[in-house]
Amino acid sequence: MRIFSLAVAALAIASVPVHAAGVPDYVASAVADTARPDKDRERDADRKPAEIMALIGVKPGDRVVDIGPGSGYYLRILSRIVGANGKVIGFNPTWVDEKFPAAKDAVTGLAAAGYTNLEGSVQPMADIKFDQPVDAIFMSQVYHDQHWQKIDIAKMNKSIFAAQKPGGVYFIVAHTAVAADQKAIADLHRIDPAMVKAEVLAAGFALEAESDLLRNPADPKTISVFDKSIRGKTDQFVYKFRKPAK
């Protein structure tokens, strides 16, 4: 069932500028930060980070986890949003660290470059946990990877549930597949939204919102997300789940 508030519906408009209604000033400032590299800014039109961060509801003082942060596109923004009293954890699953050992260097490099509220973490994906409960866990375009890496998805989602504060947000962005099959996951790097929804709900989360913010009807959804004809402009689904407050 789609759950849309007026604010969420407004965020789904592709032409919304960084300073649009519904985007808090601290989010707009983080996205407009001049310290962000040009290569990140060039991706903003497609990734819509201001609207995504506003939809998550990240705010100053929060403890937030970015799973599979890559080169740090969202880490930089999250770090500025949560501020000196918050914490951002750049989390790489053990399998990522083994296959791409340089992945954790992006996190440590940013921490050394002045993002002092940022720390790295490498753990088995299905056993994710932290020293304190967190306010939000953000997973952009890597949920499908856990499937083809044969991670215990049910255990992973239950661990994410346990790692959060009551009322915590689990936010997922993923490339859309047209069917729930392993070929789409492993070969096309896509996943069926219905599959993701069912798996996360089974862990105890409630679906609070889903958005068309990153949808692209021109994407045939039958080719790899790395195909040059669609790379960076795939059809993506956005789910906001919440851990019950009690």
Side-chain angles (χ1 to χ4, degrees):
M1 180 178 69
R2 288 178 176 261
I3 307 170
F4 285 102
S5 65
L6 290 177
V8 172
L11 291 174
I13 301 174
S15 61
V16 174
V18 169
H19 58 278
V23 175
D25 289 345
Y26 49 80
V27 171
S29 295
V31 174
D33 182 11
T34 56
R36 296 181 64 218
D38 289 343
K39 64 181 179 61
D40 282 8
R41 293 173 175 279
E42 291 166 0
R43 303 175 72 187
D44 289 351
D46 293 323
R47 303 192 83 170
K48 300 178 175 61
E51 294 86 352
I52 289 292
M53 293 293 108
L55 182 53
I56 297 172
V58 180
K59 61 188 183 302
D62 278 356
R63 291 175 56 85
V64 184
V65 180
D66 183 1
I67 295 178
S71 63
Y73 176 92
Y74 282 112
L75 288 179
R76 292 179 174 88
I77 296 171
L78 287 167
S79 175
R80 297 305 192 215
I81 292 173
V82 304
N85 295 322
K87 175 70 70 176
V88 179
I89 300 170
F91 178 92
N92 278 302
T94 304
W95 70 264
V96 170
D97 186 54
E98 292 171 350
K99 290 178 177 290
F100 312 101
K104 63 177 177 293
D105 295 340
V107 180
T108 56
L110 284 174
Y115 293 85
T116 55
N117 59 1
L118 173 63
E119 66 180 42
S121 178
V122 175
Q123 301 175 43
M125 187 67 248
D127 297 307
I128 185 171
K129 58 185 176 182
F130 305 101
D131 60 345
Q132 297 180 40
V134 299
D135 296 284
I137 293 180
F138 176 60
M139 186 184 286
S140 177
Q141 301 176 351
V142 294
Y143 190 99
H144 73 281
D145 289 317
Q146 316 316 318
H147 270 273
W148 66 264
Q149 284 296 319
K150 309 301 183 184
I151 302 300
D152 185 331
I153 300 297
K155 185 179 180 183
M156 175 189 82
N157 285 326
K158 288 179 180 178
S159 294
I160 287 173
F161 186 92
Q164 293 189 306
K165 296 177 181 178
V169 170
Y170 183 17
F171 198 90
I172 297 172
V173 177
H175 304 288
T176 308
V178 294
D181 61 62
Q182 292 302 310
K183 178 177 175 56
I185 293 171
D187 296 346
L188 306 184
H189 296 271
R190 299 173 179 269
I191 193 164
D192 183 352
M195 173 187 283
V196 175
K197 185 186 297 185
E199 291 172 348
V200 177
L201 292 177
F205 287 96
L207 178 63
E208 180 169 293
E210 54 183 289
S211 173
D212 291 336
L213 182 63
L214 301 179
R215 300 305 299 266
N216 178 12
D219 179 5
K221 306 179 189 65
T222 55
I223 56 177
S224 168
V225 301
F226 300 114
D227 188 289
K228 63 181 181 180
S229 68
I230 199 67
R231 186 167 188 174
K233 299 182 183 297
T234 58
D235 184 84
Q236 297 171 47
F237 60 93
V238 176
Y239 283 153
K240 180 180 181 179
F241 298 95
R242 192 178 293 276
K243 179 177 179 176
K246 294 183 180 181

